[in-house]
Amino acid sequence: MNEMQYQVDLMNAMNEKLKSDQKMMEMIIETSTSAFLYVNMETNEVRTLGRWDEYFDFAVKKFNDLQQIAYAIADDYREEFRNFANIERSGDERAVITVRSSDKRKWVECETNVIYDSHGSPVDKVIRFKDVTLLRDQHEELKYMAFNDSMTGLYNRNYFIRCMSEFLDRAERDGREVAVMFVDIDDFKSINDGMGLAIGDEIVMSFAHFLSGFSSDNCIVSHFNGDKYCMAIYDPCGTYGVDRIYRTIRERTRQPFVTSDGREIYIRVTAGVAMYPDASSGVLELINYAEIVSNRAKDAGKDSIQYFDSEVLQEFLYNINIENKLRVAVHDMAFQMYYQPQFDAATGALRGMEALIRWKDPDEGMISPALFIPLAEKNGTIVPIGQWVIEDTIRTYSEWKKKYDRDFILSINVSAIQYKREEFVNGIISVLEKYEMNPRDLELEITETALIDNYRDIGNKLSTLRDYGIRISMDDFGTGYSSLSYLKSLPIDTLKIDKSFVDTVLQDDNTNIIIESIMGMVQRLGLEIVAEGVETEEQLEYLRGINCDNIQGYLLGRPQSKEDVEVLLRQ
Ligand code: C2E
Ligand code: CA
Ligand code: CA
């Protein structure tokens, strides 16, 4: 304001003083980076001073030219500027408005000052225009970075949380609901892996762009990370009803997303919904619940929507309970190994034993490894558990070898997390050496899904293990990607046909065709086959008939304790 006042005082001087003074004043003004507009209200004289040409691409010579200034102002601000520049208005005004100067857009701060005569009538008016584009851009950029996801331009998680808190406050006051909808692209990993990260990014952005169409005062759309988005809908109903939104999203996914190189890519998405206040009244908890149900919907088959309800909450709480108990169990290593026999389909001879972990909790009873192994993988306890399994089973095997001198293979399930560890290969080898077990008697099982993230790294480790003499078995074949190219390029000895295949074998001709063709191909590759989960004589007969090598299942032997196995080994 001081500069302004100074310059206005100078202007006054210009009116009242001699021409020589005026010259000096002009020099001062010309050194400023601002533009000035001077209006004498009595004579209607107008003058522009300073860097006028840098702000406007027209000259203002007479009173009527003043109109043009308003047209140089961006539409949204024109009215504001007219009010502000209103000659009749009294008092000092300051405002920040945009000015469109030729085709460039500038943020301009306008400041005005009016001089009154002794009767209180305005005499002179000066408006100063100052370019604040740089300052403003920096401010906007900072604000943008703090609130937006740099990839998609959608709000980021932090800002989403902030907006959601406001929604919840408002909803509490007005007795309304708020829906939180977690949206996740299905099998995004395979898009990334199959087409490259750049295409994956394009999909993330295109889908974000599509979702941004829902944003409104009552709907916030955000991008959390990767293929995960989250929306909050205030008072969801009508077009903004959760089902409607989901249906619109789903319809969109029936059309391809076209990438910059012209490829058409179809995606599917899964959504999870948690409602305020039903599910929770906490922002983070609502988001968490929405994500939990979306993950559950994924397990249940993807391309769908799932709502949070008390059953999901129970399951969630149960899992938390189990996870807590699991930490204690790991601390005490309160596990036991069971062994399930595998038999040669033709001769009935014992081919091997698959080691399966068991955990009996004092309160919960037996807890299935199908439940706790995934939890252990999530919280990292699979590492000590896995180490214990390796050591315990190899030690047991050596004892059996010494006692019963029987030839059979020990199969151990190894999780992807274990394979990923640097020391995994050497760890296994040192345990084998410690218990003097022949590596040829050991088989490590791996699932296809374990290979997806780390194909090369795990592939290399498998090769090292196999060079050492250890057998490698592909578990659950037929449930994952079932890529036969894996089989050719990986060092694999054995293929385990999943129970789900075996189950449908006698009911479904398609399964027969698949199993038989896999069998043919696999045998040509020189791999050994183990069929899992064989429960009936019919299945056994069928598998024998198509020359399946080995059989594992309840029909011929359930997983059993060490003591029970010894009974079998004595025979
Ligand atoms: P898996 O490796 O596919 O193991 C086979 C599962 O099928 C076992 O379940 C076994 O008891 C069951 N099974 C075998 N024959 C039959 C049958 O005829 N009918 C039926 N209905 N089931 C049969 P289990 O022991 O509950 O283990 C579940 C999963 O937990 C295993 O699936 C494996 O993925 C994992 N797991 C078990 N032990 C370990 C372990 O020591 N380490 C790791 N990383 N995972 C393990
Ligand atoms: Ca297995
Ligand atoms: Ca299996």
Side-chain angles (χ1 to χ4, degrees):
M1 211 56 177
N2 284 342
E3 191 200 353
M4 185 72 191
Q5 194 60 54
Y6 174 52
Q7 277 146 356
V8 169
D9 289 346
L10 283 175
M11 293 268 198
N12 284 334
M14 182 178 73
N15 278 336
E16 286 157 17
K17 286 189 180 168
L18 297 169
K19 291 253 156 112
S20 60
D21 286 349
Q22 186 178 335
K23 218 172 192 170
M24 184 177 75
M25 194 251 347
E26 278 176 5
M27 272 170 66
I28 294 169
I29 283 179
E30 291 308 321
T31 56
S32 157
T33 54
S34 300
F36 297 89
L37 173 72
Y38 165 78
V39 184
N40 183 305
M41 327 278 260
E42 288 170 334
T43 63
N44 275 359
E45 180 202 350
V46 291
R47 277 190 70 186
T48 56
L49 298 120
R51 307 280 173 96
W52 187 263
D53 296 346
E54 288 174 19
Y55 287 78
F56 302 99
D57 54 2
F58 54 86
V60 173
K61 296 237 154 59
K62 32 188 214 307
F63 196 78
N64 286 346
D65 295 340
L66 292 176
Q67 280 296 350
Q68 288 207 57
I69 303 175
Y71 289 114
I73 308 287
D75 297 353
D76 294 354
Y77 298 91
R78 189 167 302 139
E79 213 36 53
E80 194 189 342
F81 180 76
R82 278 210 177 105
N83 289 335
F84 158 85
N86 189 342
I87 302 301
E88 299 309 318
R89 242 165 103 168
S90 56
D92 294 350
E93 295 265 355
R94 236 174 136 247
V96 180
I97 53 179
T98 13
V99 170
R100 220 183 285 123
S101 172
S102 49
D103 57 347
K104 274 187 299 185
R105 254 182 143 227
K106 259 187 186 154
W107 287 99
V108 173
E109 189 181 79
C110 299
E111 202 177 339
T112 176
N113 199 318
V114 183
I115 308 294
Y116 303 89
D117 63 14
S118 52
H119 311 292
S121 309
V123 182
D124 302 298
K125 180 162 190 146
V126 177
I127 300 178
R128 183 175 68 134
F129 301 88
K130 186 178 172 200
D131 188 344
V132 291
T133 311
L134 197 64
L135 265 173
R136 178 126 182 170
D137 282 355
Q138 282 167 351
H139 178 74
E140 291 292 309
E141 175 85 13
L142 283 175
K143 207 167 94 185
Y144 188 84
M145 287 191 319
F147 294 154
N148 293 72
D149 166 66
S150 58
M151 183 175 185
T152 61
L154 291 179
Y155 289 135
N156 60 24
R157 192 172 191 278
N158 288 340
Y159 193 65
F160 180 77
I161 289 169
R162 210 161 112 169
C163 295
M164 243 189 83
S165 307
E166 284 166 19
F167 272 13
L168 297 194
D169 288 346
R170 186 144 62 99
E172 191 187 354
R173 247 191 350 255
D174 302 347
R176 295 295 155 95
E177 290 188 305
V178 176
V180 180
M181 184 160 155
F182 196 89
V183 182
D184 192 339
I185 302 177
D186 296 341
D187 301 317
F188 183 63
K189 216 175 164 321
S190 56
I191 296 179
N192 263 342
D193 290 351
M195 321 218 181
L197 293 177
I199 296 288
D201 285 355
E202 275 193 45
I203 296 292
V204 167
M205 289 187 270
S206 306
F207 188 61
H209 180 72
F210 165 72
L211 287 183
S212 71
F214 292 106
S215 13
S216 76
D217 288 347
N218 289 332
C219 181
I220 327 159
V221 183
S222 71
H223 178 229
F224 278 11
N225 57 49
D227 55 335
K228 296 176 180 18
Y229 306 81
C230 198
M231 299 167 77
I233 305 124
Y234 182 84
D235 189 20
C237 59
T239 355
Y240 278 92
V242 174
D243 276 330
R244 277 283 273 284
I245 293 181
Y246 176 70
R247 234 181 304 143
T248 311
I249 295 175
R250 202 181 143 99
E251 272 161 26
R252 174 63 188 85
T253 64
R254 285 350 187 221
Q255 305 299 320
F257 285 85
V258 182
T259 60
S260 55
D261 60 0
R263 275 190 270 185
E264 293 193 340
I265 294 174
Y266 286 87
I267 59 169
R268 293 285 182 264
V269 300
T270 294
V273 180
M275 299 293 291
Y276 167 91
D278 279 4
S280 164
S281 52
V283 175
L284 295 181
E285 208 163 53
L286 284 165
I287 296 174
N288 200 2
Y289 288 170
E291 182 171 6
I292 289 167
V293 280
S294 100
N295 287 336
R296 231 176 82 123
K298 286 223 186 271
D299 295 341
K302 305 169 186 171
D303 193 23
S304 58
I305 185 166
Q306 179 112 26
Y307 290 84
F308 187 87
D309 60 26
S310 59
E311 191 190 310
V312 178
L313 184 62
Q314 288 316 314
E315 185 191 295
F316 177 66
L317 295 176
Y318 176 74
N319 283 356
I320 289 185
N321 174 34
I322 298 295
E323 221 182 312
N324 289 334
K325 285 174 177 292
L326 182 63
R327 286 178 209 277
V328 180
V330 170
H331 182 265
D332 305 337
M333 271 310 158
F335 303 104
Q336 211 189 333
M337 292 314 294
Y338 269 47
Y339 298 86
Q340 185 177 29
Q342 302 165 333
F343 297 98
D344 183 305
T347 66
L350 181 66
R351 181 259 179 192
M353 295 274 186
E354 177 176 3
L356 295 159
I357 195 165
R358 292 293 175 262
W359 172 27
K360 191 171 175 190
D361 179 81
D363 312 318
E364 306 287 340
M366 280 303 233
I367 300 169
S368 164
L371 175 75
F372 77 82
I373 292 289
L375 294 178
E377 286 175 336
K378 235 181 264 170
N379 70 19
T381 48
I382 188 66
V383 173
I385 294 175
Q387 259 158 12
W388 176 83
V389 167
I390 289 166
E391 175 113 17
D392 191 72
T393 52
I394 291 181
R395 190 186 56 239
T396 303
Y397 185 90
S398 323
E399 281 169 26
W400 287 341
K401 191 87 189 169
K402 280 183 202 123
K403 263 178 151 165
Y404 308 106
D405 193 27
R406 293 276 300 263
D407 269 331
F408 64 91
I409 294 163
L410 171 69
S411 279
I412 304 180
N413 291 287
V414 178
S415 133
I417 318 262
Q418 293 172 267
Y419 280 110
K420 273 184 218 165
R421 294 176 63 85
E422 209 50 65
E423 57 277 23
F424 177 69
V425 172
N426 289 333
I428 288 262
I429 292 175
S430 67
V431 177
L432 282 174
E433 285 170 355
K434 180 170 168 192
Y435 295 103
E436 297 171 336
M437 177 173 175
N438 185 342
R440 271 161 237 292
D441 294 333
L442 180 66
E443 183 170 72
L444 300 181
E445 298 195 0
I446 184 166
T447 59
E448 279 176 279
T449 35
L451 288 160
I452 290 168
D453 310 8
N454 294 280
Y455 183 81
R456 192 164 298 164
D457 172 49
I458 294 185
N460 288 338
K461 285 178 178 147
L462 294 181
S463 296
T464 315
L465 291 163
R466 196 158 180 259
D467 290 345
Y468 187 75
I470 296 169
R471 309 168 61 98
I472 307 295
S473 169
M474 177 75 85
D475 203 358
D476 301 343
F477 190 81
T479 56
Y481 290 73
S482 301
S483 160
L484 286 167
S485 64
Y486 276 167
L487 301 183
K488 267 187 255 170
S489 57
L490 283 168
I492 294 171
D493 303 273
T494 311
L495 190 73
K496 297 187 78 173
I497 307 268
D498 191 69
K499 180 175 188 310
S500 58
F501 261 132
V502 174
D503 280 346
T504 42
V505 129
L506 293 171
Q507 299 143 22
D508 178 12
D509 286 344
N510 288 335
T511 317
N512 289 2
I513 294 166
I514 296 170
I515 280 212
E516 282 162 36
S517 69
I518 289 177
M519 223 62 111
M521 235 172 309
V522 166
Q523 276 158 348
R524 254 172 279 136
L525 287 169
L527 304 185
E528 193 181 343
I529 293 176
V530 178
E532 286 190 287
V534 180
E535 292 179 340
T536 66
E537 286 290 348
E538 289 80 8
Q539 289 169 343
L540 178 63
E541 278 319 305
Y542 171 79
L543 290 163
R544 273 196 187 125
I546 59 167
N547 289 325
C548 174
D549 304 310
N550 303 291
I551 305 292
Q552 177 180 350
Y554 289 175
L555 178 70
L556 299 180
R558 290 192 171 242
Q560 45 207 284
S561 68
K562 191 172 156 182
E563 294 69 31
D564 289 342
V565 172
E566 297 201 10
V567 175
L568 180 86
L569 291 178
R570 265 184 236 123
Q571 288 161 11

